[in-house]
Amino acid sequence: ERIQNHYTIGSVYLELAGEERTEEYLFPIVNQLNQGRALLKEEEKKRFIDLNIMAGNKSLLSGAYEAAEKFFQIVEETLPRDHWEHNYEESLDVFSKKALVEYLATNYESAEFTFAVILRYAKTTLDKISILEIKAMLYTSQSKMREALDIATEALSVLKVSLPANPSELSPLPEIIKIKLKLRNKPIQNLLNLPLLKNQKQLSILRLLNACFAPSYISKPALFPIIALKMVNSTLNYGISPISPFAFVALGMIQGSALGDFSLGYEFG
């Protein structure tokens, strides 16, 4: 009887709210329907899933990670068995957010399991890379710097980008030479005229290199300048992105502190 009451109250709330006010009364509606979900009709499940996704997204944005985790868990339980095959994009989005909130809610074991599920069903290399990028950033937030660097390095190797295992003082030299050749006799201000980066593979590479920034600086400092220089070279080759300014600031630091040209370093910064 209690389940019936929750189902009825939630259904009436949803009908009275209509499309225009559903978001305003989202949480009362979803909380009632979730407690009465055993009585959902098959034709009601798609709408029910959408409502829980909305509630999960709102909870994630507001920092209510445990609540978001519960909403996405209910979505997973309600999805049809063949959802990865027939609704791939939604499945990828839901499971990625579920893994994220599980990690943020410190439910690490569940997060690792969800990440493994996503990697098993991910159809494209770039989808797999995006998940590895999220894992690397989450490890960084937990101060697991070496693990974060290992994951990002593994992802980069899939995209044919290699980082030296044991970098030396001379390791950055090839990247420096490439930059010098590309910028020879060109004013630094010309960098503002670079085209926007549109190549999704190169954008993924940039994001992964960016994910290596903090972990390399702390756990393997000799790798940090190589990563920054590779980001600069990628920007010069393929175009500028929102990540590029970090690379040029790092290049300014290297130009001044390591190469002794502080005025040029200031221009990059």
Side-chain angles (χ1 to χ4, degrees):
E1 186 177 342
R2 183 179 297 178
I3 294 174
Q4 178 68 62
N5 288 340
H6 286 303
Y7 171 77
T8 301
I9 292 169
S11 299
V12 171
Y13 270 178
L14 182 59
E15 184 177 352
L16 291 174
E19 291 294 334
E20 300 79 12
R21 306 190 71 183
T22 296
E23 187 169 355
E24 182 180 351
Y25 296 103
L26 178 64
F27 290 109
I29 293 170
V30 172
N31 287 332
Q32 290 295 330
L33 288 176
N34 283 349
Q35 293 178 78
R37 66 185 182 276
L39 300 178
L40 284 170
K41 302 177 182 68
E42 196 62 37
E43 63 268 21
E44 294 175 318
K45 289 184 178 180
K46 178 66 172 72
R47 179 63 170 151
F48 175 75
I49 288 170
D50 291 342
L51 290 169
N52 271 280
I53 291 174
M54 287 172 61
N57 287 336
K58 289 191 76 168
S59 298
L60 172 58
L61 289 173
S62 65
Y65 303 129
E66 291 183 2
E69 183 181 358
K70 291 176 183 176
F71 291 127
F72 287 123
Q73 179 62 40
I74 288 172
V75 172
E76 179 184 0
E77 292 169 0
T78 312
L79 285 167
R81 290 185 179 180
D82 57 357
H83 62 91
W84 280 104
E85 181 180 352
H86 295 295
N87 205 347
Y88 175 75
E89 294 298 335
E90 181 178 76
S91 299
L92 183 64
D93 181 62
V94 166
F95 276 73
S96 298
K97 288 174 180 172
K98 181 173 180 285
L100 176 61
V101 295
E102 284 170 341
Y103 210 96
L104 294 172
T106 68
N107 194 352
Y108 303 129
E109 187 174 341
S110 293
E112 292 292 346
F113 180 81
T114 304
F115 279 130
V117 170
I118 301 168
L119 291 172
R120 183 165 73 245
Y121 286 104
K123 290 182 178 179
T124 70
T125 299
L126 291 183
D127 285 342
K128 293 178 181 179
I129 293 303
S130 295
I131 298 307
L132 293 174
E133 179 193 352
I134 293 172
K135 283 189 72 172
M137 293 175 69
L138 290 173
Y139 280 175
T140 300
S141 72
Q142 296 297 315
S143 298
K144 297 179 179 178
M145 298 301 180
R146 181 50 65 93
E147 292 93 332
L149 187 59
D150 288 345
I151 288 173
T153 301
E154 173 195 344
L156 283 166
S157 68
V158 173
L159 296 175
K160 310 300 182 186
V161 177
S162 60
L163 296 175
N166 299 297
S168 67
E169 291 183 357
L170 296 178
S171 296
L173 192 57
E175 300 296 332
I176 292 173
I177 292 172
K178 291 176 189 174
I179 293 171
K180 293 288 187 184
L181 290 172
K182 289 185 182 96
L183 296 179
R184 184 172 51 184
N185 301 323
K186 296 177 183 176
I188 302 301
Q189 289 77 7
N190 278 11
L191 294 174
L192 297 172
N193 300 321
L194 285 172
L196 292 176
L197 175 60
K198 295 181 179 179
N199 185 301
Q200 290 303 308
K201 178 182 175 181
Q202 293 303 320
L203 184 57
S204 293
I205 289 171
L206 266 182
R207 288 206 309 261
L208 286 168
L209 289 169
N210 188 54
C212 292
F213 250 35
S216 66
Y217 189 81
I218 293 171
S219 68
K220 194 181 281 190
L223 193 58
F224 175 79
I226 301 168
I227 291 166
L229 294 167
K230 280 185 176 292
M231 291 176 71
V232 171
N233 271 311
S234 178
T235 297
L236 295 176
N237 284 329
Y238 299 101
I240 201 161
S241 76
I243 303 170
S244 300
F246 296 103
F248 284 114
V249 168
L251 176 59
M253 294 168 55
I254 295 167
Q255 196 71 47
S257 302
L259 302 179
D261 193 338
F262 289 96
S263 61
L264 184 58
Y266 179 80
E267 285 191 65
F268 282 119

